[in-house]
């Protein structure tokens, strides 16, 4: 892959950047979930790896979070943009070379940022923990080049219309760039107090609302119609989804700060807007599930459909929880408990990661023109992923309810810790299953690249994947 | 791009534009994909209506739920009475005072008051901090009643709300039952609904479905 860094753009085979992004994303997923498993072990077994500052939970947590968000999820997004955008415009990627350089800079920048975090060099602000020089690298070295590639590919498309997936891709890169720039301004301009808190959570919320959730949805808009052969159920519902995301997902950031001395009107506004997040969710889930009409058997047979439909189905509890847990009454109970941790994992490890896994499976096979090495290993990956995730989600939700009860009824802290101990072990078991599945996935895709049957011209990889 | 207003809920685009759109959807495949023109199923349309309603209602209990100083006035009236003086512990005094104040609230016409008092209890030492200020406001007989004052730290202050001007020229400072955040939301959601109607009605009506059998690869 490195040999193309200095090659002429026209000499680089189509899909090269996509393959680079795809393998990087799986690699970061293995690292991210490995760190998650390690951190969960520290919470389940307090004597696990002690005495070394570098392996303290306070050092390791941010590394896990950012390895998953910036490494796995965002690089999987980069991968999907590299192959879906040109396919949807019936054109080539504007610059494969820029794509390869973007992926390289992304890996280098992220590695540097995570090492600094691990060493304890941090801005100390949750979800925007990287120090501002690294943030500038992320914006101008990664997001802007990615955006230029996507926007230029859309601009030079050979179709008259622009498919929904590309609306989301184009808009979300723009919005996440603004989100990070504004979100980091607290650090750049040395803002403090309530302003800093608000900007931190405006940034954190909009990363999810304007990047992770909508781009994952955009993937479903491509993968499901592509693999089922059905037309997307509705262009007009796509409009409702897209504009509802813009209107309602960008506004409720202050629901993270319902107990802070923000103006009351802002908190009321955010609570209502937060429930309205259900509107884009309903539109999205309806559009995708109705597209599956007559093809539900593929949910059992096809690995990519299995992953993507699971992701779409997980969007239902995700948005139900998200909408209601930020109303003042429910927030009062679950704020600061494991419930929120479970909910965050439902978004990132559940809904979003299942959709990205589907896209990476499909994209790597298509770009490499190779049949999946082992369907059995892919199914193993799926089942370890879903069982591991559900174990994590359910145990953390229960732990959160215990913590909430402990908080409200003023139960001594140590009693709460003892009561939630079995659930912390459950969390570790679930997380470790996901990590194990991901290692198997990395092996499967590596073997696909090395030994997967070459797909003949005129056929698609996904058509052959299930022929034995 | 012509606009047509004779049947705005059917389509705002003229028939020629609708035909062009349908033809495009039938013929143009985006890398092997094409799109239908179905509506959101009726049950889900109603569900969205329910979500909007719920979004407002679910946080409605906080409307007008800010405690005013009037809630504690019955306690101030009784705190120096012989029966309270006889009680030894602050907890005992407050249990008695809260019970008496609750009786006053339950007898009131405003059904929100007992719940408000329940959710906003006050301690003996805090009551002592505000007692003199409450008595001063009551004896001054000013234009504002105790229900227009809030407790801010150890101070009793007029509610920080610029309300309506009464006929006698006095500006009403009482917290209203509604909330500015909700008001902004009402407008925000209304604008969204209006914009979505315009966007969707610019498309061909959902009864006009593209014939996908014409689609080319």
């Amino acid at each position: 892959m490195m040999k193309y860094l200095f090659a002429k753009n026209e000499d680089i085979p189509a899909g090269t950047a996509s393959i680079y992004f795809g393998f990087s994303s799986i690699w970061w997923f293995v690292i991210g979930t490995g760190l998650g498993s390690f951190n969960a072990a520290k919470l389940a077994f307090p004597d696990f790896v002690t005495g070394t500052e570098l392996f303290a939970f306070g050092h390791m947590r941010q590394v896990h979070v950012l390895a998953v968000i910036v490494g796995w999820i965002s690089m999987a997004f980069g991968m999907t943009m590299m192959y879906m955008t040109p396919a949807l415009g019936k054109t080539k990627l504007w610059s494969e070379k820029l794509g390869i350089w973007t992926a390289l800079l992304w890996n280098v920048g992220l590695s540097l940022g995570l090492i600094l975090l691990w060493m304890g060099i941090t801005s100390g602000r949750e979800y925007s923990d990287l120090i501002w020089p690294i943030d500038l690298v992320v914006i101008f070295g990664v997001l802007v080049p990615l955006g230029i590639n996507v926007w230029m590919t859309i601009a030079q498309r050979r179709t008259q219309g622009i498919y929904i997936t590309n609306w989301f891709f184009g808009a979300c890169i723009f919005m996440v760039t603004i989100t990070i720039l504004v979100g980091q301004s607290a650090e750049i301009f040395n803002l403090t107090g309530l302003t800093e808190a608000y900007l931190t959570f405006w940034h954190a919320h909009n990363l999810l609302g304007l990047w992770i959730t909508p781009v994952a949805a955009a993937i479903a808009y491509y993968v499901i119609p592509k693999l089922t052969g059905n037309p997307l159920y509705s262009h007009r519902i796509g409009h409702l989804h897209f504009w509802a995301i813009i209107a309602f997902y960008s506004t409720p950031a202050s629901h993270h700060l319902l107990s802070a001395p923000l103006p009351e009107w802002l908190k009321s506004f955010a609570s209502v807007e937060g429930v309205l997040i259900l509107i884009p969710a309903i539109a999205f889930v309806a559009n995708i599930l109705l597209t599956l009409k007559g093809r539900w058997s593929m949910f059992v047979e096809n690995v990519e459909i299995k992953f993507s439909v699971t992701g779409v189905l997980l969007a239902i509890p995700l948005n139900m929880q998200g909408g209601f847990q930020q109303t003042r009454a429910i927030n009062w109970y679950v704020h600061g408990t494991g419930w929120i941790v479970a909910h965050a994992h439902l978004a990132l490890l559940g809904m979003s990661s299942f959709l990205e896994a589907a896209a990476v499976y499909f994209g790597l096979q298509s770009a490499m023109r190779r049949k999946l090495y082992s369907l059995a290993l892919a199914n193993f990956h799926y089942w370890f992923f879903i069982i591991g995730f559900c174990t994590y989600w359910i145990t953390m939700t229960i732990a959160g309810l215990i913590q909430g009860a402990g908080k409200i009824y003023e139960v001594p802290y140590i009693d709460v810790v003892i009561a939630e101990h079995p659930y912390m072990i459950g969390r570790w078991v679930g997380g470790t299953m996901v990590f194990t599945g991901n290692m198997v996935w990395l092996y499967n895709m590596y073997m696909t690249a090395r030994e997967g049957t070459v797909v003949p011209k005129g056929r698609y990889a996904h058509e052959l994947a299930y022929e034995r | 791009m012509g606009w047509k207003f004779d049947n705005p809920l059917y389509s705002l685009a003229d028939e020629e534009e609708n035909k062009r759109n349908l033809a495009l959807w039938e013929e143009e495949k985006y890398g092997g994909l094409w799109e239908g023109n179905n509506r959101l199923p009726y049950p889900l349309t109603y569900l969205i209506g329910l979500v909007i309603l719920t979004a407002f209602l679910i946080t409605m209990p906080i409307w007008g739920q800010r405690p005013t100083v009037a809630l504690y006035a019955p306690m101030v009236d009784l705190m120096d009475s012989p029966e309270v003086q006889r009680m030894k512990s602050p907890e005992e005094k407050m249990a008695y005072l809260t019970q008496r104040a609750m009786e006053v609230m339950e007898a009131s016409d405003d059904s929100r008051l007992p719940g408000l008092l329940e959710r906003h209890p006050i301690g003996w030492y805090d009551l002592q901090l505000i007692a003199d200020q409450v008595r001063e406001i009551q004896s001054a007989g000013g234009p504002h009643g105790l229900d227009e004052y809030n407790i801010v730290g150890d101070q009793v202050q007029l509610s920080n709300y610029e309300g309506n001007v009464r006929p006698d020229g006095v500006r009403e400072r009482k917290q209203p039952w509604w909330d500015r955040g909700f008001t902004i939301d009402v407008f925000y959601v209304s604008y969204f609904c209006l914009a979505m109607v315009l966007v969707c009605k610019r498309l061909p009506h959902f009864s006009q479905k593209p014939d996908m059998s014409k689609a080319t690869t």
Side-chain angles (χ1 to χ4, degrees):
Chain A
M1 200 72 70
M2 291 296 183
K3 68 182 178 185
Y4 293 122
L5 282 174
F6 298 101
K8 285 183 183 169
N9 192 40
E10 50 271 26
D11 295 337
I12 305 174
T16 307
S18 169
I19 296 169
Y20 197 176
F21 265 105
F23 274 103
S24 302
S25 70
I26 303 174
W27 175 245
W28 281 113
F29 201 13
V30 171
I31 292 178
T33 48
L35 290 168
S37 171
F38 179 84
N39 291 347
K42 288 181 78 70
L43 292 169
F45 313 108
D47 294 333
F48 178 68
V49 189
T50 52
T52 313
E53 189 183 277
L54 282 178
F55 292 102
F57 185 78
H59 277 253
M60 299 295 284
R61 177 187 176 269
Q62 301 93 313
V63 184
H64 157 66
V65 169
L66 291 184
V68 170
I69 294 178
V70 187
W72 153 239
I73 292 176
S74 299
M75 290 206 84
F77 286 168
M79 192 254 184
T80 59
M81 289 172 189
M82 295 292 119
Y83 81 87
M84 288 182 190
T85 314
L88 290 168
K90 289 184 177 173
T91 185
K92 288 169 67 175
L93 186 67
W94 183 67
S95 172
E96 284 288 340
K97 191 170 175 177
L98 180 62
I100 295 168
W101 272 99
T102 308
L104 179 72
L105 260 180
W106 199 315
N107 279 316
V108 171
L110 180 60
S111 304
L112 182 65
L114 294 188
I115 289 169
L116 290 178
L117 269 189
W118 194 32
M119 305 300 288
I121 300 169
T122 166
S123 70
R125 294 161 63 244
E126 197 177 10
Y127 298 117
S128 45
D129 312 75
L130 296 172
I131 54 174
W132 67 264
I134 300 283
D135 290 322
L136 294 181
V137 172
V138 170
I139 294 166
F140 296 107
V142 172
L143 285 176
V144 171
L146 179 72
I148 289 171
N149 225 347
V150 169
W151 297 324
M152 289 307 292
T153 306
I154 293 173
Q156 67 173 22
R157 72 190 183 280
R158 291 193 290 150
T159 58
Q160 194 179 329
I162 302 176
Y163 185 72
I164 295 176
T165 297
N166 277 348
W167 304 350
F168 278 96
F169 284 172
C172 289
I173 299 176
F174 174 73
M175 292 188 297
V176 76
T177 306
I178 302 296
T179 295
I180 295 179
L181 267 175
V182 175
Q184 303 307 325
S185 60
E187 188 184 354
I188 294 169
F189 298 112
N190 210 17
L191 303 175
T192 55
L194 195 59
T195 316
E196 182 198 17
Y198 183 61
L199 277 171
T200 299
F201 275 90
W202 184 86
H203 170 268
H205 178 82
N206 286 358
L207 266 193
L208 190 81
L210 301 177
W211 178 240
I212 295 173
T213 318
V215 179
I219 289 172
Y221 277 119
Y222 180 87
V223 171
I224 302 273
K226 180 79 179 173
L227 293 181
T228 58
N230 284 348
L232 178 71
Y233 180 73
S234 173
H235 173 87
R236 68 172 56 234
I237 302 179
H239 269 291
L240 175 63
H241 178 201
F242 181 80
W243 291 113
I245 288 264
I246 305 292
F248 299 130
Y249 237 136
S250 56
T251 44
S254 56
H255 69 221
H256 289 274
L257 299 166
L258 285 181
S259 303
L262 282 175
E264 288 298 313
W265 70 263
L266 183 59
K267 291 192 264 185
S268 304
F269 177 72
S271 287
V272 173
E273 295 296 301
V275 178
L276 295 175
I277 283 174
L278 272 165
I279 293 177
I282 290 167
F284 164 61
V285 173
N287 215 356
I288 295 295
L289 296 187
L290 288 166
T291 301
L292 268 169
K293 201 173 174 185
R295 307 288 287 167
W296 272 93
S297 58
M298 291 183 78
F299 185 36
V300 181
E301 297 158 2
N302 182 297
V303 168
E304 290 88 355
I305 292 286
K306 202 179 283 186
F307 271 101
S308 48
V309 172
T310 305
V312 174
L313 292 174
L314 288 174
I316 299 171
L318 169 69
N319 289 284
M320 291 294 288
Q321 272 193 348
F324 288 92
Q325 73 192 23
Q326 61 179 293
T327 57
R328 297 190 194 222
I330 299 173
N331 186 274
W332 170 73
Y333 198 91
V334 299
H335 182 76
T337 71
W339 171 289
I340 303 298
V341 182
H343 174 70
H345 280 77
L346 176 57
L348 301 186
L349 185 60
M351 181 254 180
S352 166
S353 285
F354 275 91
L355 285 163
E356 285 125 36
V360 174
Y361 265 111
F362 177 69
L364 279 181
Q365 290 175 69
S366 304
M368 297 190 298
R369 298 203 62 78
R370 281 175 192 277
K371 188 173 154 179
L372 191 63
Y373 172 71
S374 169
L375 192 56
L377 287 182
N379 276 313
F380 175 89
H381 177 213
Y382 174 81
W383 286 108
F384 258 58
F385 197 170
I386 187 70
I387 295 172
F389 163 73
C390 288
T391 306
Y392 184 101
W393 180 38
I394 293 166
T395 50
M396 282 310 291
T397 301
I398 297 171
L401 292 173
I402 292 171
Q403 289 167 341
K407 180 177 70 174
I408 301 306
Y409 297 109
E410 297 178 357
V411 177
Y413 182 66
I414 190 64
D415 291 340
V416 177
V417 172
I418 292 167
E420 65 184 345
H421 186 233
Y423 303 100
M424 290 295 129
I425 295 173
R427 164 196 210 162
W428 169 70
V429 170
T432 306
M433 283 181 75
V434 174
F435 171 54
T436 309
N438 287 339
M439 285 197 295
V440 169
W441 185 25
L442 182 62
Y443 171 75
N444 199 10
M445 296 320 287
Y446 172 72
M447 292 305 287
T448 301
R450 273 184 67 112
E451 296 183 14
T453 310
V454 176
V455 176
K457 278 193 173 173
R459 299 295 304 275
Y460 291 109
H462 67 273
E463 291 173 351
L464 299 180
Y466 305 96
E467 290 178 8
R468 286 286 164 258
Chain B
M1 192 176 88
W3 286 72
K4 207 167 67 96
F5 296 100
D6 60 338
N7 195 359
L9 290 180
Y10 182 81
S11 178
L12 289 167
D14 57 42
E15 274 316 300
E16 201 177 313
E17 191 176 344
N18 285 338
K19 274 183 193 165
R20 272 203 310 272
N21 277 336
L22 286 168
L24 185 68
W25 290 348
E26 285 167 353
E27 289 161 13
E28 186 168 73
K29 264 191 152 184
Y30 306 97
L33 313 183
W34 74 101
E35 301 169 306
N37 184 35
N38 292 297
R39 63 160 294 150
L40 192 69
Y42 274 112
L44 294 179
T45 311
Y46 293 131
L47 184 60
I48 284 184
L50 188 65
V51 165
I52 294 175
L53 195 63
T54 307
F56 285 93
L57 292 181
I58 194 133
T59 32
M60 193 174 175
I62 68 158
W63 292 6
Q65 294 292 304
R66 298 172 188 83
T68 67
V69 176
L71 275 180
Y72 312 114
M75 300 184 192
V76 173
D77 291 344
L78 287 171
M79 65 190 290
D80 293 334
S81 63
E83 62 265 38
V84 175
Q85 294 289 331
R86 274 198 299 275
M87 295 173 184
K88 285 177 187 165
S89 71
E91 290 79 16
E92 209 178 346
K93 291 175 198 283
M94 284 318 297
Y96 173 77
L97 287 173
T98 305
Q99 189 194 342
R100 295 296 302 273
M102 187 60 86
E103 287 165 10
V104 175
M105 298 307 156
E106 280 169 353
S108 160
D109 291 338
D110 189 343
S111 61
R112 295 174 303 167
L113 294 177
L116 267 176
L117 184 59
E118 203 171 68
R119 277 191 292 280
H120 300 284
I122 192 169
W124 175 250
Y125 299 110
D126 289 332
L127 191 65
Q128 284 181 316
L129 279 176
I130 65 165
D132 286 343
Q133 299 174 70
V134 170
R135 292 188 190 111
E136 193 181 325
I137 293 164
Q138 283 174 320
S139 59
H144 304 291
L146 280 176
D147 57 349
E148 295 181 46
Y149 285 85
N150 276 4
I151 302 171
V152 182
D154 60 354
Q155 300 292 313
V156 172
Q157 301 278 2
L158 273 173
S159 302
N160 184 22
Y161 180 75
E162 294 170 14
N164 300 322
V165 179
R166 288 176 182 167
D168 61 3
V170 174
R171 186 174 286 276
E172 190 179 28
R173 306 293 293 272
K174 191 160 64 177
Q175 290 281 4
W177 65 270
W178 48 269
D179 180 297
R180 268 189 292 175
F182 288 93
T183 316
I184 295 168
D185 265 314
V186 168
F187 283 103
Y188 196 84
V189 174
S190 306
Y191 293 150
F192 173 77
C193 292
L194 182 66
M196 281 319 300
V197 168
L198 289 178
V199 166
C200 289
K201 296 301 170 192
R202 288 290 300 157
L203 299 169
H205 190 260
F206 58 79
S207 59
Q208 296 179 295
K209 295 195 170 42
D211 176 5
M212 295 308 184
S213 62
K214 292 181 188 171
T216 54
T217 51

